Amino acid sequence: MYRPMPADVEDIRLPEELLELTEEIAENVHEVWAEGRIRDGWTYGPVRDSERKETPMLVPYDQLPESEKDFDRNTALYTLRYVIKRGYKISLEK
């Protein structure tokens, strides 16, 4: 049986400027997901229906329920923390 074992990133604390970036990354995560769904033939529907390829989540990020936004935020936070855990530095070039 498959047992997911994501890297432990609980010890990584993100600087404030990266926490602010999280929402932008979360929105982009949704955009990438939505683009893929649309490419695969999915459309908006009031309830998720795999056979008809309909989902209520094919809406702009700001129209998503908070539970869905939280999923995207967690993906963004985990990814940033993982990159730092691996020893990479993230900085803004001006």
Side-chain angles (χ1 to χ4, degrees):
M1 174 187 348
Y2 170 63
R3 292 183 189 190
M5 297 187 64
D8 181 8
V9 296
E10 291 301 314
D11 60 323
I12 303 299
R13 300 290 167 246
L14 295 176
E16 188 63 35
E17 61 270 12
L18 288 183
L19 287 174
E20 293 169 8
L21 180 61
T22 300
E23 194 69 14
E24 291 177 46
I25 294 173
E27 183 173 356
N28 195 60
V29 165
H30 176 69
E31 293 296 314
V32 170
W33 172 86
E35 182 180 58
R37 284 289 194 216
I38 291 168
R39 188 175 40 247
D40 290 343
W42 285 73
T43 58
Y44 174 84
V47 296
R48 190 177 195 294
D49 185 329
S50 295
E51 286 185 24
R52 295 178 64 171
K53 290 189 170 184
E54 292 180 347
T55 176
M57 300 308 151
L58 278 178
V59 295
Y61 181 78
D62 63 353
Q63 294 178 23
L64 288 174
E66 280 303 310
S67 60
E68 291 297 320
K69 288 180 184 178
D70 284 344
F71 182 84
D72 294 333
R73 288 178 187 125
N74 288 337
T75 299
L77 280 170
Y78 184 89
T79 300
L80 286 169
R81 292 164 81 187
Y82 181 75
V83 167
I84 291 171
K85 177 121 184 164
R86 292 289 318 271
Y88 291 91
K89 304 276 185 218
I90 301 173
S91 63
L92 177 64
E93 292 188 28
K94 296 193 180 208

